[in-house]
Amino acid sequence: MDKRIKILNAAEILIKERGFYGLSIKVIAQQAGVAAGTIYCYFENKDALLNQLYRHILSESAKTIFTGWQEQDTAKQKYDRLWQNTYQAVLKNPNRLAVIDMLRCTLDNSQQETAVLDDNTFGKLRGFYLQGIDDGLLRNWPVAALVALSFDSAINLAKKVLTNKVMPDQILLDEVRDASWLIIQKQ
């Protein structure tokens, strides 16, 4: 495995386990199994490492969310896949959401926005919503609002399943997904 990725993975694990308390280059290096000086070959300082970790997590999340994406699919088929992939991603790695939230608290808004826009990590998702708006299929709302109504339902339902507040079955998942689709459609 690439040393840079080992370092990022180690930092994510430590943040999951401890938060930012006691998070240092030395501790990250120990977790990654590298010398502390090695980290500085890849990252200028801890802040740069955290910024790159945020970008890394976004990139990994995008790969997961877009698994199985087919350009020729209908908008509804694409939506169903994105929603289901998001739901499953939370179930498979629930702590990642906590790490993302913690990183958002440490990074200023410009770093967060740059992380998404520079890498064009979620460009396909943005394009999906803008195309839906242009085609008159989706409400002409800010993309962030459409995303919140779409994927927050998948994320929050997965959280409820993880805490045993909801017992999932495919019928329920389909109904919640379809309800969120109906909400964002232009009436």
Side-chain angles (χ1 to χ4, degrees), residues 103-114:
L103 287 168
R104 282 187 181 136
C105 291
T106 65
L107 302 174
D108 65 41
N109 287 338
S110 65
Q111 287 175 310
Q112 291 176 42
E113 188 67 22
T114 301

Side-chain angles (χ1 to χ4, degrees), residues 92-123:
K92 288 178 184 170
N93 194 352
N95 294 324
R96 184 160 263 186
L97 288 174
V99 172
I100 289 171
D101 287 343
M102 285 187 264
L103 287 168
R104 282 187 181 136
C105 291
T106 65
L107 302 174
D108 65 41
N109 287 338
S110 65
Q111 287 175 310
Q112 291 176 42
E113 188 67 22
T114 301
V116 174
L117 296 178
D118 278 357
D119 296 337
N120 203 20
T121 305
F122 288 98

Side-chain angles (χ1 to χ4, degrees), residues 113-150:
E113 188 67 22
T114 301
V116 174
L117 296 178
D118 278 357
D119 296 337
N120 203 20
T121 305
F122 288 98
K124 259 196 292 194
L125 184 63
R126 182 174 171 73
F128 168 77
Y129 285 105
L130 292 175
Q131 186 65 51
I133 292 167
D134 288 347
D135 292 347
L137 178 64
L138 302 179
R139 294 177 187 267
N140 189 9
W141 291 348
V143 170
L146 295 170
V147 169
L149 286 168
S150 304

Side-chain angles (χ1 to χ4, degrees), residues 163-183:
T163 57
N164 295 315
K165 293 180 180 163
V166 172
M167 295 305 295
D169 61 49
Q170 195 58 50
I171 293 170
L172 175 64
L173 295 177
D174 291 345
E175 287 177 351
V176 171
R177 184 199 61 228
D178 290 347
S180 69
W181 173 248
L182 288 172
I183 290 169

Side-chain angles (χ1 to χ4, degrees), residues 55-93:
R55 289 171 179 260
H56 172 72
I57 289 173
L58 288 179
S59 177
E60 291 295 310
S61 298
K63 287 177 193 171
T64 300
I65 290 167
F66 288 107
T67 299
W69 175 274
Q70 300 290 322
E71 286 298 331
Q72 68 272 14
D73 284 349
T74 66
K76 177 68 164 90
Q77 289 170 324
K78 289 176 183 176
Y79 183 85
D80 289 354
R81 180 170 310 281
L82 293 169
W83 193 97
Q84 189 70 34
N85 288 348
T86 300
Y87 172 82
Q88 290 298 326
V90 174
L91 292 181
K92 288 178 184 170
N93 194 352

Side-chain angles (χ1 to χ4, degrees), residues 15-52:
I15 292 170
K16 268 190 262 190
E17 292 174 354
R18 307 178 186 187
F20 291 110
Y21 180 74
L23 185 68
S24 68
I25 294 295
K26 180 181 175 183
V27 172
I28 295 169
Q30 289 171 341
Q31 178 74 29
V34 300
T38 302
I39 291 179
Y40 293 107
C41 293
Y42 297 94
F43 309 98
E44 182 180 339
N45 54 38
K46 187 169 85 170
D47 288 342
L49 189 154
L50 294 176
N51 188 14
Q52 287 301 307

